Amino acid sequence: MSIVKILQKSTIESLSALYNQSFTDTDFQINQTKPEFEGDYTVVMFSLVKSLKLSPDAIGNQLGEHLTKNYPQFFTAYNIIKGFLNLTVADAYWQDLLQKNYNDICYGKKALNGKKVMVEYASPNTNKPLHLGHLRNIFLGWSVAEILKANGYEVVKSCIVNDRGIHICKSMIAWQMFGNGATPESTGVKGDHLVGEYYVKFNDVYKQQVEELISEGDDKATAEKEAPIMKATQQMLLDWEDGKPEVMELWKTMNGWVYAGFDVTYNSIGADFDKTYYESNTYLLGKDIVQQGMDKKVFYQKPDSSIWIDLTADGLDEKIVQRSDGTSVYITQDIGLALQKYEQYKIDQSIYVIGNEQNYHMKVLQLICQKLGMPNADNIYHLSYGMVELTSGKMKSREGTVVDADDIVEEMITTSQQHTEELGKVKDFTAEELTALYNTIGLGAMKFYLLRVDPKKTMVFNPAESIDFHGFTGPFVQYTYARIKSILRKQAEVMTTDNGQQTMDNDLLKAEKEVIVVAEQYGTIIEQAAQEHNPSVIANYVFNLAKTFNSFYSELSVANAETEVKKQLRLKISLLTANILKSGMQLLGIKVPERM
RNA sequence: GGUCUGGUAGCUCAGCUGGAUAGAGCAUCAGCCUUCUAAGCUGAGGGUCAUUGGUUCGAAUCCAAUCCAGAUCACCA
């Protein structure tokens, strides 16, 4: 149990004993004591003043007295300032915590809870390479999956690949017209980039043709519809739907190139999936659900035989679920897939990592699932994240203002190499070790940069800032870890692995205690991150812990501690910190180096 | 126009289930490497928490209105 929960519980017990009535944890608040005051945690009980008809100071005195008297193993002193009750937690408590956990690499994590969650993330299109926005998505999805695992959930990571439709045909048609048989092998271009080039080519040609038609007197709408390349693309989509062999062949070949390219990217950034769904397999799903919805009178048919659901009573609009020609639409596929996921994996919760431009869509999806009475429809969760903007404005793939995922990852790794070489601390590393280190630091910087911000907020990607390795960054945390490991290597022989009392020290110094206090919060932080589906909670915490440790490090010496007892104590503080930093960074998908 | 987000230091962001003098990082300035890795530490300056009103012992935080920015409201996906 965390110290905050202990304090909560003992406060409730004390209040009940003192005032002979029952209390709950909403009757008061517990905060960390501000640094300018004496104490570790503060009880705020202004809300009790009215019902108890006592002054805050009076309640504080009685409560403080009662707590220190009845729970001396936890609380040793108190003071009251302006009605706030500041309590000092016993040094023995902190030391006991340290003794029990300093060597536990699972510290803060929870046992399996028997619940299963699916996290769907990445969701790429097969007509262009991954960009910065995908990276935010992928890092978020991966991290949330890890955070849920740390909270005892079984997690299935899934990916839905958008591999069909008019936009896919665009790159296909452009390749057919202008490709001259180019392949990744013949050009040396990564498969997804090669296909992306033809997607851009399509848009160039299309734009040109539209302009020509307009100059010949067509209005814009007609021109956009009549442009030859667009008509060819539409024909190709029809051919694809008919299963025309040469179109299928081309489709499979080009998608194959893209998948090979994606695999390289996933591999380099450390993303993986337990299950991949392809939209070409799922786009016909949901048909029988439409029928069920009709039977249940959740859906209704219009005279042109298209099928709809009326969500106006829920503050939304009417939504089509089946076209008049009987084909299904996007949302229908999603309903079908949602059900399939549940049936295949018996999941308790389904998390979708999807950009916030689909908030409306996801709201509608969940609402329809609920109205259809689908199991666990209430446990559909849209992890909505904001767009990544550039300092120069928004990214637009058609205008070529996107930051390519492979490019930015490579740039970060190169930058980490430059920094490392300038510092010259690892000259004895082998070539393989160096490569691994540059990857660890470069990717660490990148992931930390994208994950340290609240997912739901639109964020600005500032290139100069993203490659900064100082301050609130991944490398800062990695560096702190490496520095601790350096101490531990040097002191390995003298560090005792006792669990006994000989390292007990009844007078913790401020800098020592501060590290333990922050370390103690790790379990609570992991819970909070899972509840909010928010990796930035972890990023902020890990930074805070590293910073607290760095102050400790610069103020006190471990190797040359005043006494042997102090030395052992500080070694344990260091090891505990290192374990938590490693564990927390792992929840963000970031590795930590033993040296850097 | 309806709905949903967001607006906190020059910049990027925490804090938002109401609590003490609103915090970090970057940038700027001033210090600290003959002692465990200076990718570090210590300090300084920098704020009308978009605006106005309300709720109350107390509001960056809750409520309302207004302003600004973004997203969305397809027989596209």
Side-chain angles (χ1 to χ4, degrees):
Chain A
M1 199 174 356
S2 70
I3 186 67
V4 170
K5 283 192 180 143
I6 291 171
L7 177 53
Q8 234 164 29
K9 201 163 155 256
S10 32
T11 300
I12 290 174
E13 285 168 10
S14 296
L15 287 171
S16 306
L18 284 166
Y19 305 112
N20 213 10
Q21 49 177 292
S22 64
F23 295 88
T24 67
D25 54 12
T26 52
D27 291 324
F28 55 89
Q29 280 176 39
I30 290 170
N31 300 331
Q32 213 172 339
T33 303
K34 297 217 160 200
E36 58 267 35
F37 302 110
E38 182 74 29
D40 300 313
Y41 284 92
T42 298
V43 184
V44 185
M45 64 260 139
F46 292 97
S47 44
L48 292 167
V49 168
K50 231 175 218 172
S51 63
L52 294 178
K53 299 198 173 71
L54 288 166
S55 74
D57 283 17
I59 302 172
N61 266 311
Q62 291 173 348
L63 182 57
E65 197 62 46
H66 197 272
L67 283 170
T68 47
K69 201 171 162 191
N70 291 281
Y71 305 90
Q73 73 275 34
F74 296 128
F75 311 111
T76 50
Y78 70 95
N79 64 78
I80 294 149
I81 296 168
K82 290 202 216 165
F84 293 83
L85 171 62
N86 302 321
L87 287 155
T88 301
V89 176
D91 273 2
Y93 172 83
W94 299 122
Q95 303 214 33
D96 187 50
L97 182 98
L98 184 65
Q99 286 293 345
K100 285 184 179 145
N101 300 294
Y102 76 93
N103 205 13
D104 179 7
I105 53 168
C106 292
Y107 174 66
K109 297 189 179 178
K110 299 211 170 40
L112 283 176
N113 62 17
K115 295 250 170 78
K116 198 190 256 188
V117 183
M118 179 177 277
V119 179
E120 178 191 284
Y121 69 108
S123 314
N125 292 339
T126 57
N127 61 350
K128 51 179 185 268
L130 304 175
H131 57 69
L132 192 52
H134 289 109
L135 290 181
R136 189 177 195 191
N137 179 312
I138 292 169
F139 297 154
L140 265 176
W142 172 272
S143 177
V144 166
E146 291 302 310
I147 289 167
L148 289 168
K149 283 185 203 167
N151 277 274
Y153 292 89
E154 186 186 341
V155 178
V156 182
K157 286 182 275 192
S158 74
C159 176
I160 170 90
V161 180
N162 192 324
D163 63 343
R164 62 163 287 280
I166 192 86
H167 53 301
I168 308 299
C169 292
K170 286 178 182 175
S171 351
M172 285 162 65
I173 208 89
W175 183 85
Q176 212 171 43
M177 293 169 75
F178 310 104
N180 295 318
T183 67
E185 291 74 31
S186 75
T187 57
V189 177
K190 196 162 163 278
D192 49 338
H193 288 259
L194 183 71
V195 172
E197 283 173 17
Y198 290 99
Y199 182 65
V200 172
K201 180 75 181 168
F202 171 93
N203 283 305
D204 289 347
V205 173
Y206 178 54
K207 201 173 153 195
Q208 200 184 328
Q209 289 182 352
V210 169
E211 276 166 16
E212 275 169 28
L213 287 175
I214 290 175
S215 70
E216 285 164 20
D218 281 350
D219 63 66
K220 195 168 176 244
T222 317
E224 282 174 354
K225 220 164 146 187
E226 293 300 318
I229 196 166
M230 181 56 91
K231 293 191 86 165
T233 307
Q234 268 152 356
Q235 182 55 47
M236 183 177 262
L237 181 61
L238 291 175
D239 291 343
W240 184 89
E241 281 171 1
D242 286 342
K244 200 174 172 188
E246 56 267 36
V247 174
M248 295 307 283
E249 190 61 31
L250 178 63
W251 174 71
K252 279 180 190 160
T253 304
M254 290 183 70
N255 274 357
W257 296 343
V258 173
Y259 295 140
F262 283 174
D263 281 346
V264 170
T265 306
Y266 290 150
N267 216 332
S268 74
I269 62 179
D272 67 348
F273 307 96
D274 302 308
K275 170 72 184 174
T276 302
Y277 294 100
Y278 297 93
E279 208 186 287
S280 53
N281 293 327
T282 65
Y283 83 109
L284 296 174
L285 282 176
K287 290 240 178 192
D288 43 343
I289 290 173
V290 172
Q291 193 49 53
Q292 281 172 32
M294 290 293 287
D295 296 343
K296 290 185 183 172
K297 301 217 182 325
V298 175
F299 300 153
Y300 67 94
Q301 197 154 25
K302 286 194 178 179
D304 68 356
S305 77
S306 58
I307 298 177
W308 297 72
I309 184 167
D310 184 357
L311 299 171
T312 48
D314 299 281
L316 305 175
D317 302 301
E318 289 186 321
K319 184 86 187 171
I320 189 163
V321 294
Q322 190 175 90
R323 296 191 186 97
S324 50
D325 63 5
T327 57
S328 62
V329 295
Y330 180 43
I331 192 110
T332 323
Q333 303 164 33
D334 271 1
I335 299 165
L337 184 56
L339 190 61
Q340 195 181 78
K341 283 175 171 179
Y342 173 77
E343 285 171 347
Q344 279 179 349
Y345 288 95
K346 296 282 174 262
I347 46 176
D348 299 285
Q349 198 185 15
S350 194
I351 296 176
Y352 294 77
V353 183
I354 303 179
N356 62 10
E357 78 273 10
Q358 299 217 38
N359 283 356
Y360 180 77
H361 173 79
M362 290 304 294
K363 212 164 158 183
V364 171
L365 175 66
Q366 178 163 28
L367 201 51
I368 296 180
C369 288
Q370 284 168 333
K371 284 183 186 293
L372 287 170
M374 268 172 50
N376 280 316
D378 294 342
N379 293 328
I380 287 174
Y381 181 83
H382 176 201
L383 174 45
S384 165
Y385 65 92
M387 299 292 104
V388 183
E389 290 181 359
L390 304 176
T391 37
S392 52
K394 302 189 71 169
M395 290 199 292
K396 287 189 177 144
S397 47
R398 267 178 234 168
E399 293 170 20
T401 53
V402 285
V403 174
D404 180 79
D406 294 324
D407 291 350
I408 190 71
V409 167
E410 197 192 323
E411 196 184 320
M412 296 296 282
I413 291 171
T414 309
T415 308
S416 75
Q417 178 174 356
Q418 283 166 4
H419 274 255
T420 307
E421 282 170 355
E422 276 168 27
L423 292 168
K425 294 181 185 178
V426 288
K427 287 178 176 154
D428 56 324
F429 271 33
T430 64
E432 294 81 52
E433 286 171 332
L434 283 173
T435 307
L437 180 64
Y438 301 151
N439 268 287
T440 299
I441 298 173
L443 277 172
M446 185 74 210
K447 291 183 180 181
F448 200 93
Y449 183 80
L450 289 176
L451 289 176
R452 69 184 198 184
V453 184
D454 187 338
K456 68 174 183 289
K457 288 196 174 178
T458 301
M459 66 174 288
V460 176
F461 181 83
N462 181 332
E465 196 180 281
S466 70
I467 55 171
D468 189 354
F469 291 174
H470 302 271
F472 187 22
T473 66
F476 173 93
V477 180
Q478 291 173 323
Y479 175 72
T480 306
Y481 177 83
R483 209 153 63 158
I484 295 174
K485 294 304 278 202
S486 171
I487 299 175
L488 294 175
R489 272 193 302 275
K490 290 181 179 165
Q491 303 299 327
E493 282 149 33
V494 297
M495 184 168 183
T496 59
T497 49
D498 70 281
N499 286 308
Q501 302 296 307
Q502 74 250 46
T503 58
M504 280 296 198
D505 171 0
N506 289 322
D507 194 17
L508 282 178
L509 295 172
K510 194 158 172 274
E512 293 165 343
K513 184 160 121 180
E514 276 171 356
V515 179
I516 307 177
V517 169
V518 177
E520 191 270 341
Q521 299 161 352
Y522 185 47
T524 311
I525 292 292
I526 291 181
E527 269 177 51
Q528 190 197 339
Q531 250 165 36
E532 298 177 11
H533 302 94
N534 184 355
S536 79
V537 170
I538 304 280
N540 278 287
Y541 170 78
V542 151
F543 171 66
N544 183 27
L545 178 62
K547 210 155 67 89
T548 309
F549 182 87
N550 282 335
S551 296
F552 159 87
Y553 176 94
S554 66
E555 192 178 323
L556 303 167
S557 175
V558 177
N560 300 316
E562 305 87 279
T563 65
E564 183 60 24
V565 170
K566 277 287 185 207
K567 181 166 179 175
Q568 293 300 331
L569 175 88
R570 288 177 197 168
L571 280 169
K572 284 176 179 160
I573 291 175
S574 304
L575 181 53
L576 178 66
T577 304
N579 285 340
I580 296 176
L581 291 181
K582 184 173 188 172
S583 161
M585 290 291 265
Q586 192 268 330
L587 296 182
L588 300 174
I590 301 173
K591 291 179 187 157
V592 284
E594 298 300 305
R595 286 179 57 194
M596 68 185 275

